[in-house]
Amino acid sequence: AGTFERFLRAELLVTAGRVPEALRWWGAIAQRSPFELPFLAPSLRRQAGAWRTLGDPERAGAADAAAQVLWDDLPSW
């Protein structure tokens, strides 16, 4: 599905200062295939950082909360 390549493209876009474009790439993660789901929480964490960079703490908080549901609130078996 090219998930790693799309994630990496977003990382490179941030490095190049093209944060809004990177957000679109990260936002597309896990939209095409269930095999992309392992990239979803890291993508959400990176989106949160990008939104903070753009000065939007509300969207940053929403992305952090969604990532926390995926990563931090897992049941302990």
Side-chain angles (χ1 to χ4, degrees):
T3 312
F4 176 74
E5 289 81 6
R6 289 184 286 128
F7 193 92
L8 179 60
R9 179 182 298 250
E11 294 288 329
L12 294 171
L13 286 167
V14 166
T15 302
R18 296 165 58 183
V19 177
E21 192 174 347
L23 279 165
R24 289 191 295 273
W25 283 98
W26 281 318
I29 300 288
Q31 299 295 317
R32 299 169 70 183
S33 167
F35 296 108
E36 298 180 358
L37 288 174
F39 286 87
L40 184 55
S43 169
L44 288 164
R45 291 280 192 219
R46 295 299 287 145
Q47 287 178 60
W51 283 120
R52 279 190 199 86
T53 299
L54 293 175
D56 192 335
E58 185 175 312
R59 286 185 178 175
D64 270 335
Q68 183 174 3
V69 167
L70 295 172
W71 259 352
D72 298 336
D73 292 343
L74 295 174
S76 57
W77 291 305

